[in-house]
Amino acid sequence: LKKFDKQYSKQELKSYVGDISQIADAKYSELKDGRGGGVSVVDIKTGGGLDISVLPGRGMDFAGAQYKGVPFGYISNTGVVSPTYFDENGMNYFRNFTAGLLTTCGLCNVGPPCEDDGKLLGIHGKISNIPADDIGISKEWVGDEFVFKVRGKVRESEFFAQNLTLTREISFSLGDKKILISDAVENCGFKPHPLMLLYHFNFGHPLVGTDTKLYHTSAHINPKDDYSAKYLDNCHSFEVPVLDCPENVFFYDMKPSGDNVFSCLYNDVLGFGVYLKYKKSQLSNFTQWKNMGKGAYVTAMEPCNTPPIGRAAAREQGILEFLEEGEVRRFDIELGIVDGRNELAELQNYK
């Protein structure tokens, strides 16, 4: 077990600590006051410098995140808000848009509000505002590795309509500076149903700044609109905050190595970055959201199965995906840290 720049066996490591929580842990709690009251939280401490707050009370999303004490996730001005306050009508979604390190979007819509097949659909769907069931935390030795797993099941179901289940497992080993997100989405109904899924990973200051650059598997990039097209040449870099800055959105067609793709935000002054690795066969699209507004200074890396254009437009363009009756589809993402330029170079050779 190579951790903390030293090689330990299981027994050697146990001899140095009273309890593993001294080094790494996954601890369950609940927010008690304000608009976040009642939201359940699992605080993850990997022991490798990576700390993340998981929110079973909000669709197994992530709130704050830091590496060696430096925050890198973005928290909006709403803070963590309970699903009790969720209003899916129009753009009211943003009244409790925590953002956090991860907002899961879907499962019935990704993108703007729309009407599809006679049904009104809100922006980015409901899944991030549904509390999880069957929450579980396991901590155990597997050989010389001490492995942590956090699980939860989120059901997006409606009488006479969809019956979809997302089961999420977040896993890491003691001393890691990465986590693995393994999702299984099942159609528990009796007829095919549309599936739209987008992982809205949100990053803020100090990771995001004028010394930050976005790296990724080579890609063809399309701006979402004419305004974004003006800033296409600057999509990989970041400016200082300005007042009332409109968003830029870019759609990427990643060119994988085999089936593997990556994206990474790296800050030269901080000397570290955060990466995502996943398979293009599972998540064929990637979106970059860039907002340089004062107080809304955030960029997002967003692997997705369809672009965030709304279900009606996806159906019209013939790119809407469906889950068959009883079908289960898997999605796996690795989120981790690159510490220094040498590790960034290794990531760029990812195959």
Side-chain angles (χ1 to χ4, degrees), residues 280-331:
K280 188 170 181 179
S281 60
Q282 294 181 344
L283 295 160
S284 55
N285 295 271
F286 179 89
T287 300
Q288 178 196 1
W289 176 49
K290 179 181 173 183
N291 201 104
M292 300 286 95
K294 288 187 176 182
Y297 190 75
V298 54
T299 194
M301 301 190 291
E302 305 173 3
C304 44
N305 73 328
T306 54
I309 58 177
R311 197 168 90 185
R315 187 188 297 271
E316 183 179 337
Q317 294 181 23
I319 58 174
L320 183 62
E321 296 186 4
F322 287 81
L323 270 181
E324 299 298 320
E325 173 191 349
E327 182 182 358
V328 179
R329 196 171 302 177
R330 298 198 59 85
F331 303 91

Side-chain angles (χ1 to χ4, degrees), residues 107 165-166 183-187 195 197 323 327-329 331:
L107 299 168
T165 298
L166 181 151
D183 285 353
V185 181
E186 180 178 3
N187 181 359
L195 172 64
L197 179 61
L323 270 181
E327 182 182 358
V328 179
R329 196 171 302 177
F331 303 91

Side-chain angles (χ1 to χ4, degrees), residues 49-307:
L50 177 61
D51 301 333
I52 295 174
S53 293
V54 179
L55 302 176
R58 282 194 53 126
M60 297 295 291
D61 284 347
F62 302 165
Q66 58 184 20
Y67 177 62
K68 294 183 177 178
V70 179
F72 59 83
Y74 173 78
I75 305 291
S76 82
N77 58 2
T78 72
V80 176
V81 183
S82 166
T84 303
Y85 300 94
F86 177 54
D87 182 354
E88 66 175 315
N89 296 312
M91 303 302 284
N92 291 340
Y93 175 91
F94 290 109
R95 292 179 178 176
N96 70 331
F97 178 61
T98 298
L101 177 61
L102 172 62
T103 293
T104 309
C105 301
L107 299 168
C108 292
N109 188 48
V110 164
C114 63
E115 182 176 350
D116 178 62
D117 197 25
K119 189 173 184 63
L120 294 175
L121 302 166
I123 183 172
H124 283 333
K126 301 177 182 178
I127 197 68
S128 70
N129 282 281
I130 301 174
D133 296 323
D134 299 338
I135 302 163
I137 301 173
S138 65
K139 314 170 190 180
E140 60 184 349
W141 286 100
V142 180
D144 269 352
E145 294 286 328
F146 195 86
V147 178
F148 296 80
K149 293 182 180 180
V150 181
R151 302 181 186 88
K153 184 177 294 185
V154 190
R155 297 186 298 170
E156 185 168 347
S157 54
E158 183 179 338
F159 196 48
F160 291 134
Q162 74 278 352
N163 189 9
L164 305 175
T165 298
L166 181 151
T167 302
R168 175 165 294 170
E169 180 178 273
I170 301 153
S171 60
F172 63 95
S173 295
L174 185 151
D176 278 349
K177 53 183 181 181
K178 66 182 180 182
I179 62 168
L180 303 178
I181 304 162
S182 298
D183 285 353
V185 181
E186 180 178 3
N187 181 359
C188 301
F190 296 95
K191 60 181 180 181
H193 195 278
L195 172 64
M196 300 188 78
L197 179 61
L198 179 145
Y199 294 85
H200 209 297
F201 286 98
N202 307 290
F203 302 91
H205 195 70
L207 177 66
V208 178
T210 55
D211 299 298
T212 307
K213 185 176 178 181
L214 174 64
Y215 298 84
H216 55 80
T217 306
S218 62
H220 179 72
I221 308 172
N222 287 319
K224 175 187 174 184
D225 48 35
D226 291 341
Y227 179 80
S228 298
K230 297 178 183 178
Y231 299 94
L232 179 60
D233 291 342
N234 298 322
C235 66
H236 296 141
S237 58
F238 304 92
E239 301 77 45
V240 298
V242 297
L243 187 63
D244 298 329
C245 179
E247 67 179 13
N248 289 162
V249 178
F250 305 99
F251 298 147
Y252 287 57
D253 181 15
M254 296 286 201
K255 298 177 181 178
S257 176
D259 193 20
N260 299 317
V261 294
F262 81 89
S263 61
C264 176
L265 285 166
Y266 187 86
N267 185 299
D268 264 316
V269 170
L270 295 179
F272 81 88
V274 182
Y275 70 82
L276 304 176
K277 293 180 181 178
Y278 59 97
K279 296 187 180 299
K280 188 170 181 179
S281 60
Q282 294 181 344
L283 295 160
S284 55
N285 295 271
F286 179 89
T287 300
Q288 178 196 1
W289 176 49
K290 179 181 173 183
N291 201 104
M292 300 286 95
K294 288 187 176 182
Y297 190 75
V298 54
T299 194
M301 301 190 291
E302 305 173 3
C304 44
N305 73 328
T306 54

